[in-house]
Amino acid sequence: MDIIISIILYSIGRIFRKQPKLLSIYFHDLSNETFKREIKWLIRQGYVFIDTQKLVRLLKKEIPLDRKYCYISFDDGRKENLNLVPILEKYNVPITIFCADQPIDEGGAFWWDYVLAETPSKKLVNEIKTYPEQKFKEVTDGYKKRNPLDRAAI
């Protein structure tokens, strides 16, 4: 019975759900295949990709929200973002990349790069993310001292 109710509720949601006219999507580390699939899906749904300036103008209501728009950004400014350039160019997708300033200012890498240099375990990285602020700082500082990395790690 629960399965039937779930199917009915899911179907009702699919029928009556409206897609938002303005999407803001941010990505972290993702593969080219996944990103290309997401872009193609957004295009099939009728979204037009916009840059930061147009996003601001839409939010300030300086221009009408007369169609479906999508704003895409990436966190951390990882060098792997460069692998997505052919897809961005092919589909004419403007993006914004938000760079973490600490690795740039300090000339090092991201905290998780230091952890992974010692112990290649994403499980450990995810665990460290949950630590209270003081413990997080102590643990990540320890990894930084034990595993010096150069700018190539960024």
Side-chain angles (χ1 to χ4, degrees):
M1 186 64 158
D2 288 340
I3 293 174
I4 294 172
I5 292 171
S6 296
I7 292 171
I8 291 170
L9 290 174
Y10 174 79
S11 299
I12 290 170
R14 297 263 313 167
I15 292 169
F16 293 103
R17 180 179 61 213
K18 285 187 174 181
Q19 290 182 337
K21 285 214 160 194
L22 179 59
L23 277 181
S24 177
I25 304 173
Y26 77 95
F27 293 104
H28 279 269
D29 190 20
L30 78 159
S31 70
N32 282 25
E33 303 84 41
T34 301
F35 185 64
K36 188 173 184 178
R37 191 170 44 247
E38 296 290 331
I39 295 301
K40 286 179 157 185
W41 183 87
L42 289 162
I43 291 169
R44 282 194 311 271
Q45 302 307 309
Y47 283 94
V48 174
F49 301 105
I50 58 171
D51 59 20
T52 306
Q53 290 79 18
K54 187 154 190 172
L55 174 67
V56 170
R57 292 185 68 210
L58 285 165
L59 293 173
K60 288 183 172 182
K61 299 183 180 179
E62 294 175 359
I63 55 176
L65 191 59
D66 56 353
R67 55 194 313 183
K68 296 194 290 187
Y69 294 104
C70 182
Y71 171 77
I72 295 179
S73 65
F74 287 85
D75 272 0
D76 301 329
R78 303 218 19 127
K79 66 183 177 183
E80 292 82 7
N81 295 152
L82 294 173
N83 298 331
L84 303 173
V85 170
I87 299 167
L88 298 168
E89 289 176 341
K90 179 177 181 177
Y91 295 101
N92 196 28
V93 179
I95 63 166
T96 300
I97 298 176
F98 294 100
C99 296
D101 60 348
Q102 184 177 6
I104 295 167
D105 291 343
E106 295 176 4
F110 294 101
W111 68 266
W112 57 83
D113 290 321
Y114 293 100
V115 174
L116 293 171
E118 183 175 314
T119 310
S121 168
K122 288 192 176 186
K123 183 179 178 184
L124 177 60
V125 169
N126 288 330
E127 179 185 324
I128 292 171
K129 288 179 187 177
T130 67
Y131 290 174
E133 187 175 347
Q134 185 59 36
K135 182 178 179 181
F136 175 86
K137 182 169 178 18
E138 290 169 7
V139 169
T140 56
D141 284 349
Y143 279 102
K144 288 177 185 179
K145 287 177 187 170
R146 291 191 302 274
N147 302 292
L149 298 173
D150 62 17
R151 291 184 82 56
I154 298 178

